[in-house]
Amino acid sequence: MLLKQGAEAKIYKSEYLGCPCIVKERFVKKYRHPELDSHLTKERIKAECRAIVRCKAAGIRTPTLYGVDLAKRCIYMEYIENAKTLKECISNAVNNTEHADGNKDFIGPILERIGVFIGRMHSSNIIHGDLTTSNILLVGDLRSEDLQIIFIDFGLSSADESAEDKGVDLYVLERAIISAHTLKENVFNVILKAYAKEYKKGSSEVLRKLDEVRSRGRKRLMVG
Amino acid sequence: MGRLITKCNDPTVLYVSGGNTQFIAYSQNRYRIFGETIDIAIGNCLDRFARVLKLSNDPSPGYNIEKMAEKGKKFLHLPYTVKGTDVSCSGILSNIEKQAPHLISSKQYAPEDLCYSLQEAIFAMLVENTERAMSHCGSQEVLIVGGVGCNLRLQEMMNIMSEERGAKLYATDERFCIDNGAMIAQAGIEMFQSGTTTPWDLVTCTQRYRTDEVEVTWRS
């Protein structure tokens, strides 16, 4: 059963040894040169599997990996029941409340925890590569401390120590939050604060890089 | 401007030129930048590579690369740098700049092959992230604007992607893609008709206006 067609993969729900599972098929992209396509697909499947395993070791929740089939371009992994994306949760919260401030209180603590997890990811040198609000799942009561935060879609991930890549990772998230959701910019600072607290060793350098990456965008000439 | 010419309604926009490479979606009175290049623009990358090959600037370096690429056959693997919703082009340029003289003089690759490989790699990045933007925003229309938007191979790739997801591609040609005067005039008319005016003594000129800085008063 097809659940979703993302930018580069079809997501099916299926069964793996009796367990409900997700099949993520990176189908052939006909617009891409065939050599480039098969190269990228293999690299991304491998990157995704590696990152899932590394996250597990670091104590970050991701779907459990069940199996991989490079020939079929598929990854089999845990199906997460009753999950909502962070994107849905934020836009629900923003749209459904007239007194926006009163009812958005619960988002702060969630973002704080997300900041902690990203800090943990980066201190283990895992670069997610596509940190958008669609790639963070929430399961459970949004106001409860038992709320599970699950990171998905590690196809663009890499293992890298550099502050540059970590800075870009944060930059991508910042932009995803600002562009898709009309929230105030300061919500991102909640994430950064928690991030810095968790990732004591490297965060100051990463945050400096983040500033640098931001300014690259701003200063670009508008010509041509 | 693109919407005027192509009559599309609410597209995801790929804005590709010598100065800009942006993935744009409209939301709540702003054209929001969903992703962009984190270093040099795609057109800049192509132009600079044209200079490496000493291609003519007539009619434009990008057009000459496009023509060369049509004759290219052998595919060279280049770096592929997609960073979430952003892309990066400077590393690819450095890579091919460094390799090109040797690859050509040793006859391993013809200049045509390199143009072809460069186009295939960077356009694939553009199409991929346009698709990512469409998927994120749930959009069924895509519009290509800017000078590089004239490139037929880019339009072809974008069209294949759009058809695969049941979306529709809108593109224009060099009459509109590179006429900045017409674009500015069109934006001016839209602003005027929606009641935005600027007193003459406050009129200034800036080249550094970012897409998302302008409040869009002419769309709901």
Side-chain angles (χ1 to χ4, degrees):
Chain A
M1 187 179 74
L2 182 68
L3 288 183
K4 191 181 180 300
Q5 177 168 345
E8 50 168 340
K10 288 177 180 157
I11 309 291
Y12 299 93
K13 191 181 173 186
S14 180
E15 277 201 348
Y16 189 82
L17 302 176
C19 289
C21 82
I22 286 283
V23 183
K24 179 170 181 177
E25 183 203 2
R26 289 173 191 273
F27 56 98
V28 177
K29 293 262 119 186
K30 293 196 200 90
Y31 68 80
R32 268 201 296 244
H33 189 283
E35 260 178 62
L36 178 62
D37 188 60
S38 66
H39 175 77
L40 283 178
T41 300
K42 268 187 205 144
E43 287 303 311
R44 287 178 180 179
I45 290 177
K46 282 193 263 179
E48 177 143 32
C49 297
R50 283 194 193 117
I52 287 178
V53 174
R54 291 169 65 99
C55 276
K56 182 146 267 182
I60 299 154
R61 181 90 163 84
T62 68
T64 305
L65 192 62
Y66 292 160
V68 185
D69 189 334
L70 275 181
K72 281 192 187 156
R73 303 169 152 244
C74 284
I75 299 182
Y76 302 85
M77 58 189 145
E78 179 188 4
Y79 176 75
I80 296 183
E81 305 265 1
N82 302 322
K84 272 207 176 104
T85 64
L86 177 63
K87 183 187 174 189
E88 291 163 351
C89 293
I90 294 181
S91 51
N92 283 346
V94 173
N95 295 336
N96 292 346
T97 50
E98 284 177 4
H99 309 286
D101 285 306
N103 241 319
K104 277 193 295 193
D105 285 353
F106 67 94
I107 293 182
I110 297 176
L111 293 179
E112 233 179 272
R113 289 181 55 200
I114 288 172
V116 170
F117 281 129
I118 298 172
R120 207 174 285 172
M121 227 183 262
H122 284 183
S123 60
S124 310
N125 294 326
I126 307 164
I127 313 294
H128 184 286
D130 191 13
L131 274 178
T132 63
T133 47
S134 309
N135 286 338
I136 300 174
L137 300 184
L138 306 174
V139 179
D141 178 5
L142 294 178
R143 287 176 177 76
S144 146
E145 284 188 10
D146 299 331
L147 177 78
Q148 287 191 62
I149 298 176
I150 303 155
F151 288 84
I152 60 165
D153 203 354
F154 285 85
L156 297 178
S157 70
S158 57
D160 202 297
E161 292 178 5
S162 75
E164 164 78 23
D165 281 10
K166 292 171 187 173
V168 172
D169 227 14
L170 293 176
Y171 180 66
V172 167
L173 179 64
E174 176 178 39
R175 294 271 307 290
I177 288 185
I178 296 171
S179 71
H181 312 286
T182 26
L183 284 173
K184 292 179 197 117
E185 233 168 292
N186 62 24
V187 301
F188 188 64
N189 286 334
V190 177
I191 296 184
L192 288 188
K193 246 192 194 158
Y195 173 85
K197 230 176 167 179
E198 172 72 20
Y199 182 24
K200 289 199 177 66
K201 268 191 180 166
S203 62
S204 59
E205 204 194 334
V206 174
L207 296 182
R208 237 192 340 269
K209 272 285 175 195
L210 173 63
D211 271 337
E212 196 190 306
V213 177
R214 279 175 183 152
S215 67
R216 279 181 214 158
R218 292 252 163 81
K219 282 179 192 149
R220 200 159 307 119
L221 281 169
M222 299 291 279
V223 286
Chain B
M1 176 82 179
R3 288 172 62 233
L4 174 79
I5 304 296
T6 63
K7 308 268 185 269
C8 56
N9 180 36
D10 185 16
T12 298
V13 183
L14 172 65
Y15 170 24
V16 274
S17 66
N20 277 290
T21 300
Q22 295 179 336
F23 309 94
I24 303 164
Y26 176 82
S27 156
Q28 301 181 346
N29 298 95
R30 299 269 160 174
Y31 281 102
R32 313 226 171 234
I33 302 171
F34 180 80
E36 63 185 321
T37 172
I38 57 170
D39 37 59
I40 61 170
I42 218 93
N44 191 241
C45 178
L46 290 169
D47 289 353
R48 281 160 71 175
F49 185 60
R51 223 170 296 155
V52 172
L53 296 181
K54 302 195 171 60
L55 297 182
S56 152
N57 278 337
D58 180 32
S60 73
Y63 180 78
N64 290 327
I65 292 224
E66 181 178 355
K67 286 291 142 198
M68 296 267 284
E70 283 171 13
K71 290 176 226 137
K73 285 187 187 75
K74 197 169 163 194
F75 183 70
L76 170 72
H77 267 292
L78 292 167
Y80 187 91
T81 39
V82 163
K83 313 249 176 196
T85 54
D86 290 332
V87 294
S88 153
C89 308
S90 66
I92 300 174
L93 179 65
S94 311
N95 182 290
I96 196 166
E97 273 179 345
K98 213 185 247 172
Q99 291 195 66
H102 165 70
L103 291 175
I104 293 170
S105 66
S106 65
K107 299 229 158 45
Q108 291 179 62
Y109 286 86
E112 286 82 1
D113 296 331
L114 297 182
C115 292
Y116 166 68
S117 304
L118 179 62
Q119 272 198 183
E120 288 300 312
I122 59 181
F123 290 170
M125 286 159 42
L126 296 179
V127 176
E128 175 175 342
N129 272 15
T130 306
E131 184 167 18
R132 193 164 280 129
M134 291 171 79
S135 163
H136 193 81
C137 306
S139 167
Q140 287 297 312
E141 291 178 323
V142 51
L143 171 67
I144 309 181
V145 299
V148 185
C150 300
N151 189 299
L152 294 179
R153 175 60 183 148
L154 175 61
Q155 293 188 12
E156 180 188 41
M157 288 165 77
M158 195 65 88
N159 196 33
I160 299 172
M161 178 277 281
S162 308
E163 278 176 359
E164 271 179 357
R165 49 185 308 121
K168 195 159 167 22
L169 168 70
Y170 297 88
T172 64
D173 57 39
E174 68 282 357
R175 286 172 302 161
F176 307 107
C177 276
I178 55 179
D179 193 338
N180 289 352
M183 290 178 223
I184 293 166
Q186 170 62 20
I189 292 171
E190 295 278 18
M191 285 174 119
F192 180 70
Q193 284 177 347
S194 62
T196 310
T197 53
T198 310
W200 187 244
D201 51 347
L202 294 181
V203 172
T204 55
C205 186
T206 174
Q207 291 189 318
R208 298 186 173 216
Y209 238 146
R210 268 175 72 76
T211 313
D212 53 0
E213 277 175 49
V214 183
E215 181 167 7
V216 178
T217 49
W218 57 92
R219 285 184 66 176
S220 55

